[in-house]
Amino acid sequence: MSHRHLRALRVLSSAVLFAANLFTLPAAAAQAGVARIDLQRHDLSAPGREAVQVRVDLAPGVAFGRHTHPGEEIIYVLSGAIEYDVEGKPPVTLKAGDVLFIPAGTVHAAKNVGVETASELATYIVAKDKPLLTLAK
């Protein structure tokens, strides 16, 4: 196979995996008052791992329920006030410029406790073959 064909195959494979991940997100991930904008997704040098960056906007008073990720989540709050409830820790409210690290598989939830739309930049370092988000029971 030529270099051009291998590159096209690689791009097609990435598109298929990206689409598959979108369809494996639970329906609750698309709840009213929550907007998720996928910014980028890249393979990492660690086999089977990828980095995914997403902007998440929460309308005032909106909560995103308890869930986990198949890897680490690194949060940077862009605007507003978001209360994070991370299993095993007391709830914490973060504002623009604050950061939070959530270990792999840790159950957590978020709620906009402000009067304006709250936004975060979420960076996930996750296993490629698993859904990005799983709702906790």
Side-chain angles (χ1 to χ4, degrees):
M1 231 180 225
S2 72
H3 177 69
R4 186 203 272 158
H5 284 97
L6 286 174
R7 182 180 168 99
L9 183 59
R10 194 174 3 213
V11 168
L12 180 61
S13 296
S14 293
V16 168
L17 284 173
F18 179 74
N21 272 333
L22 286 179
F23 289 121
T24 58
L25 283 175
Q31 77 183 48
V34 178
R36 294 176 56 90
I37 302 166
D38 290 335
L39 300 172
Q40 62 178 328
R41 180 181 296 255
H42 297 282
D43 289 345
L44 297 175
S45 58
R49 307 287 285 176
E50 66 180 341
V52 179
Q53 267 192 328
V54 177
R55 178 186 171 125
V56 181
D57 298 320
L58 297 169
V62 170
F64 193 88
R66 296 166 33 88
H67 62 282
T68 64
H69 305 285
E72 291 75 19
E73 179 178 9
I74 303 158
I75 296 168
Y76 176 77
V77 178
L78 299 167
S79 64
I82 305 173
E83 180 181 89
Y84 295 92
D85 185 3
V86 179
E87 189 171 67
K89 297 183 178 183
V92 61
T93 298
L94 303 182
K95 296 185 176 169
D98 291 336
V99 297
L100 181 66
F101 177 83
I102 300 175
T106 301
V107 175
H108 60 287
K111 180 180 181 179
N112 180 346
V113 293
V115 296
E116 64 183 13
T117 296
S119 301
E120 70 176 26
L121 174 65
T123 302
Y124 306 97
I125 307 300
V126 293
K128 288 179 64 168
D129 61 345
K130 295 186 178 169
L132 182 59
L133 183 149
T134 302
L135 294 178
K137 298 184 186 233

